């Protein structure tokens, strides 16, 4: 069942640019949506399975982006190495941040990451000598993967689609791994989980680090794809939006998070025509989804499809 | 302290009774508090390898607190717990599980949103073994409880109470327990199921699993145990071979109802 879903998703990702070549939505929106999917799928591991909220995920996204940007422009590092450095920095900081906090029960991580996200944003703005300040950092060289230089929207679509599918596949496997099972057990009954010898703090810390790595990886790709980074892309609002994607799509479901990310990205693009009223419609739609599809977009829609299918099937039987 | 007297009786009695058997668990002078309220008062208790020991007491006697303290889910305020020669009093719970103390919690506490198989896999969390080993151990559990094999893909939350109890026991067995702690396995089960569960407990014990059985159902527990402890308001008030406890007038009046 999980594999079928994955292959259907992968097939549509591959077919989209074939069916609509040079389509604005596929290349431009597709790239943005793909990055959002990586971010949301990573955040969902933390929110959906560890039951913790990160309100500073844009900071990890930014760390990956700025690591790539600074190391490749100022120090001429190869892009792949810079990306690995970004992953290392984000992972280490996530671990240092989570270890003391996740010992406590409750949403302390949300508070800590909120503060952390703001601090990182301030650093990005203030440390202008390194980051270029509010003006950002431009002329980031293109991504070079072992000799192949990624160039043009079509190729970028391919790279980001591959990274996105990889992140979904990784997430599905993590959920079904020893640590994923442990986290689901903690959600089921923390007491019994402890009796099984599950160290909940450790498992939550590990998943937080993984989640930060997903974000940093998306950040590196983002920096190279845009060839320009500025602090605006990593503000608190972006963190909140990522949380919204996960909740909108449906928590504790990898495909749910992916759907939430795609839906919210498309919504943004689609509502641009409404200009000043964009935020108004945006908010109203989110509220409607939460009221009528409390399980999230993915579960709600797939349930609706299944019900509709059953209805059609029963009508057919009556006719026959 | 009056609570110490029966313990010294027990230690001398059991050492002659269980000659040459290795002392697996030894609790000495254990105290436990919930805030300012002391729940466990200087409990001393021992279990030898291969034994089936019953700990019997009414509601609020401190049975579950004792087990939680044993598994380090609740910190002791005084006393020591020794397991297999190691002082495990301050060990974190995951280390205690790894050492071989596995608990079947009160009220079963299966992981409701997970499948039967995933529940069993979680029992082996501290084992760090390969999939083949886990599969093999699962087969042993399925042999013990065939109904779990039938339901292996089902979510644990959809099982009946008795099946959940079987799953909770199976899950603990996947941890390869050297000492199995059972917290009220008969709670809320129909008499026929209680019989079934107790039959399995005896079978496990004959297979060599050391068991500490905590029960309110004194009659059933003492009927299968080798030795028993009577716990009242956080103190051990009596300890003897189970057959003697079953014949004891005080015990009969208080716990057996005849």
């Amino acid at each position: 069942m999980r594999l079928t879903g994955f292959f259907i998703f992968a097939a549509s990702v591959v077919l989209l640019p074939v069916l609509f070549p040079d389509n604005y939505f596929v290349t431009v929106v597709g790239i943005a949506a793909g990055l959002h999917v990586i971010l949301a799928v990573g955040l969902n591991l933390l929110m959906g399975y560890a039951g913790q909220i990160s309100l500073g995920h844009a900071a990890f996204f930014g760390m990956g982006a700025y690591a790539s940007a600074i190391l490749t422009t100022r120090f001429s590092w190869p892009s792949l190495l810079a990306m690995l450095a970004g992953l290392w920095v984000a992972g280490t900081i996530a671990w240092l941040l989570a270890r003391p906090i996740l010992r406590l029960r409750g949403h302390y991580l949300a508070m800590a990451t909120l503060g952390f996200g703001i601090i990182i944003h301030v650093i990005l703005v203030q440390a202008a000598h390194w980051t270029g300040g509010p003006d950002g950092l431009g002329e980031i060289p293109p991504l070079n993967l072992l000799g192949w230089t990624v160039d043009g929207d079509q190729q970028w679509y391919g790279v980001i689609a591959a990274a996105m599918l990889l992140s979904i596949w990784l997430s599905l496997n993590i959920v079904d791994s020893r640590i994923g099972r442990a986290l689901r057990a903690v959600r089921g009954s923390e007491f019994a989980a402890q009796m099984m010898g599950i160290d909940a703090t450790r498992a939550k810390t590990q998943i937080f680090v993984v989640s930060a790595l997903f974000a940093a990886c998306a950040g590196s790709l983002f920096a190279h794809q845009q060839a320009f980074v500025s602090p605006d892309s990593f503000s608190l609002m972006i963190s909140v939006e990522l949380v919204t994607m996960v909740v909108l799509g449906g928590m504790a479901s990898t495909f749910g998070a992916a759907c939430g990310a795609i839906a919210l990205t498309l919504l943004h693009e689609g509502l641009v025509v409404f200009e000043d009223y964009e935020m108004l419609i945006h908010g109203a739609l989110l509220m409607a989804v939460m009221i009528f599809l409390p399980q999230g977009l993915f579960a709600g829609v797939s349930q609706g499809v299944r019900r509709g299918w059953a209805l059609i099937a029963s009508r057919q039987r009556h006719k026959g | 302290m009056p609570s110490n007297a029966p313990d010294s009786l027990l230690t001398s009695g059991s050492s002659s009774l269980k000659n040459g058997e290795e002392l697996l668990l030894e609790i000495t002078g254990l105290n436990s508090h919930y805030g300012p309220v002391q729940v466990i008062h200087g409990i001393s208790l021992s279990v030898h390898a291969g034994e089936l020991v019953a700990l019997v007491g009414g509601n609020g006697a401190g049975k579950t607190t004792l087990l939680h303290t044993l598994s380090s889910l609740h910190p002791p305020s005084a006393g020591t717990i020794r397991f297999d020669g190691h002082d495990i009093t301050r060990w974190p719970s995951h280390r205690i599980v790894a050492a071989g103390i596995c608990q079947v919690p009160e009220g079963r506490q299966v992981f409701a949103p997970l499948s039967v198989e995933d529940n069993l896999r979680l029992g082996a969390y501290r084992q760090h073994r390969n999939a083949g080993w886990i599969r093999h151990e699962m087969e042993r559990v399925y042999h013990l409880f065939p109904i779990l094999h039938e339901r292996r893909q089902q979510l644990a939350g959809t099982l009946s109470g008795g099946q959940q109890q079987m799953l909770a026991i199976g899950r603990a067995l996947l941890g390869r327990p050297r000492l199995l702690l059972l917290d009220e396995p008969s709670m809320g089960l129909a008499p026929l199921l209680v019989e079934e569960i107790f039959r399995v407990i005896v079978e496990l014990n004959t297979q060599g699993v050391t068991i500490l059985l905590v029960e309110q159902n004194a009659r059933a527990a003492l009927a299968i145990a080798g030795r028993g402890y009577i716990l009242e308001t956080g103190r051990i008030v009596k300890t003897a071979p189970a057959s003697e406890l079953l014949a004891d007038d005080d015990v009969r009046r208080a716990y057996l109802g005849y």
Side-chain angles (χ1 to χ4, degrees):
Chain A
M1 159 61 210
R2 279 184 319 114
L3 273 183
T4 334
F6 180 72
F7 284 123
I8 293 173
F9 191 76
S12 40
V13 167
V14 173
L15 277 177
L16 221 56
V18 178
L19 294 174
F20 308 97
D22 283 326
N23 188 310
Y24 166 81
F25 260 79
V26 174
T27 47
V28 180
V29 183
I31 287 167
L35 288 172
H36 285 153
V37 169
I38 300 175
L39 286 161
V41 163
L43 185 57
N44 174 57
L45 286 173
L46 181 74
M47 284 175 61
Y49 295 102
Q52 296 285 334
I53 293 179
S54 165
L55 284 172
H57 240 49
F60 296 114
F61 183 43
M63 275 182 213
Y66 270 91
S68 279
I70 293 173
L71 291 174
T72 52
T73 54
R74 296 192 196 270
F75 300 94
S76 325
W77 279 32
S79 50
L80 214 53
L81 203 61
M83 183 189 275
L84 288 177
L87 289 174
W88 184 81
V89 170
T92 310
I93 290 181
W95 185 74
L96 290 173
L97 196 66
R99 247 180 78 87
I101 292 166
L102 286 172
R103 284 184 192 290
L104 309 168
R105 273 177 214 202
H107 286 299
Y108 294 98
L109 189 72
M111 298 314 291
T113 49
L114 177 69
F116 170 72
I118 294 170
I119 290 170
I120 294 294
H121 188 252
V122 169
I123 291 175
L124 293 182
V125 173
Q126 296 297 327
H129 176 67
W130 290 99
T131 64
D135 297 337
L137 208 62
E139 290 172 21
I140 300 167
L143 183 65
N144 190 308
L145 295 171
L146 309 168
W148 174 51
T149 304
V150 184
D151 184 32
D153 282 346
Q154 295 283 345
Q155 285 188 12
W156 265 112
Y157 180 87
V159 168
I160 290 190
M164 174 182 79
L165 291 174
L166 183 69
S167 74
I168 291 177
W169 183 79
L170 271 175
S171 166
L172 289 172
N173 277 290
I174 288 170
V175 170
D176 206 29
S177 70
R178 182 169 175 269
I179 176 174
R181 246 193 321 273
L183 286 169
R184 284 184 289 151
V186 170
R187 269 166 57 93
S189 161
E190 180 143 7
F191 228 41
Q194 236 178 316
M195 285 183 191
M196 299 303 111
I198 293 167
D199 186 347
T201 307
R202 201 182 137 96
K204 285 177 190 170
T205 308
Q206 284 172 338
I207 215 72
F208 182 60
V209 170
V210 169
S211 174
L213 292 179
F214 273 53
C217 179
S220 288
L221 292 174
F222 175 77
H224 285 294
Q225 193 265 331
Q226 297 278 313
F228 168 79
V229 287
S230 82
D232 284 351
S233 311
F234 314 106
S235 68
L236 175 64
M237 267 325 286
I238 305 294
S239 291
V240 173
E241 204 154 296
L242 291 173
V243 171
T244 315
M245 286 175 186
V246 175
V247 176
L248 182 74
M251 286 217 270
S253 153
T254 301
F255 288 116
C259 287
I262 294 170
L264 216 59
T265 314
L266 293 180
L267 190 65
H268 270 305
E269 291 297 322
L271 291 180
V272 167
V273 291
F274 294 104
E275 289 175 7
D276 289 350
Y277 297 101
E278 184 198 330
M279 288 316 281
L280 208 63
I281 299 171
H282 185 145
L285 278 172
L286 287 186
M287 273 162 62
V289 168
M290 286 296 98
I291 291 167
F292 297 110
L293 300 172
Q295 299 283 327
L297 217 50
F298 181 68
V301 169
S302 57
Q303 234 167 49
V305 168
R306 229 172 289 151
R307 263 188 219 145
W309 194 252
L311 204 67
I312 293 168
S314 73
R315 285 218 179 126
Q316 292 277 337
R317 243 177 287 138
H318 279 297
K319 269 184 206 163
Chain B
M1 271 172 69
S3 62
N4 281 344
D7 291 311
S8 49
L9 269 177
L10 158 85
T11 0
S12 60
S14 73
S15 57
S16 62
L17 201 74
K18 291 270 155 193
N19 216 357
E21 296 241 10
E22 166 199 6
L23 186 62
L24 195 59
L25 177 75
E26 190 181 22
I27 302 175
T28 341
L30 196 72
N31 282 356
S32 191
H33 290 74
Y34 284 114
V37 183
Q38 186 166 3
V39 181
I40 288 184
H41 304 263
I43 284 188
S44 296
L45 177 155
S46 63
V47 180
H48 292 76
E51 267 193 308
L52 199 175
V53 175
L55 179 71
V56 173
N59 256 338
K63 304 186 298 291
T64 297
T65 305
L66 176 65
L67 286 194
H68 282 182
T69 312
L70 247 175
S71 288
S72 188
L73 301 173
H74 187 78
S77 29
T80 56
I81 305 169
R82 294 183 71 81
F83 181 68
D84 198 22
H86 300 285
D87 183 354
I88 63 164
T89 319
R90 302 281 158 200
W91 283 16
S93 49
H94 56 87
R95 221 177 137 192
I96 290 175
V97 175
I101 301 185
C102 300
Q103 185 160 165
V104 180
E106 183 183 16
R108 308 179 274 273
Q109 302 260 4
V110 295
F111 303 115
L114 273 67
S115 71
V116 167
E117 267 196 353
D118 277 352
N119 268 270
L120 291 176
R121 279 202 191 96
L122 278 161
Y125 189 76
R126 279 284 144 206
Q127 293 293 313
H128 297 284
R129 305 288 187 102
N130 61 29
W133 183 88
I134 291 178
R135 173 95 7 232
H136 178 254
E137 290 298 299
M138 269 190 202
E139 290 305 326
R140 287 178 35 155
V141 170
Y142 292 149
H143 184 73
L144 220 50
F145 303 112
I147 187 78
L148 291 183
H149 183 256
E150 248 170 70
R151 303 275 157 102
R152 61 190 184 281
Q153 303 293 348
Q154 216 168 301
L155 298 187
T158 65
L159 298 178
S160 74
Q163 290 160 1
Q164 289 192 7
Q165 187 63 61
M166 294 174 195
L167 179 57
I169 294 175
R171 184 178 63 179
L173 289 177
L174 260 284
R176 280 251 121 167
R178 301 186 54 207
L179 173 65
L180 184 63
L181 308 176
L182 291 157
D183 196 351
E184 299 222 25
S186 79
M187 192 169 81
L189 298 186
L192 262 176
L193 276 169
V194 174
E195 229 171 83
E196 161 85 9
I197 297 283
F198 274 62
R199 182 188 60 72
V200 169
I201 294 173
V202 172
E203 191 180 330
L204 287 172
N205 185 238
T206 36
Q207 283 173 15
V209 183
T210 311
I211 294 173
L212 178 59
L213 170 62
V214 170
E215 260 299 341
Q216 248 187 89
N217 187 341
R219 192 196 311 260
L222 291 173
I224 61 168
R227 284 191 302 122
Y229 289 83
I230 308 284
L231 190 65
E232 262 172 32
T233 55
R235 293 185 175 83
I236 303 256
V237 293
K238 214 164 228 141
T239 174
S243 52
E244 279 178 33
L245 287 176
L246 274 171
D248 186 288
D249 282 342
D250 292 341
V251 175
R252 273 171 51 176
R253 254 195 306 280
Y255 297 98
L256 307 175
Y258 63 91

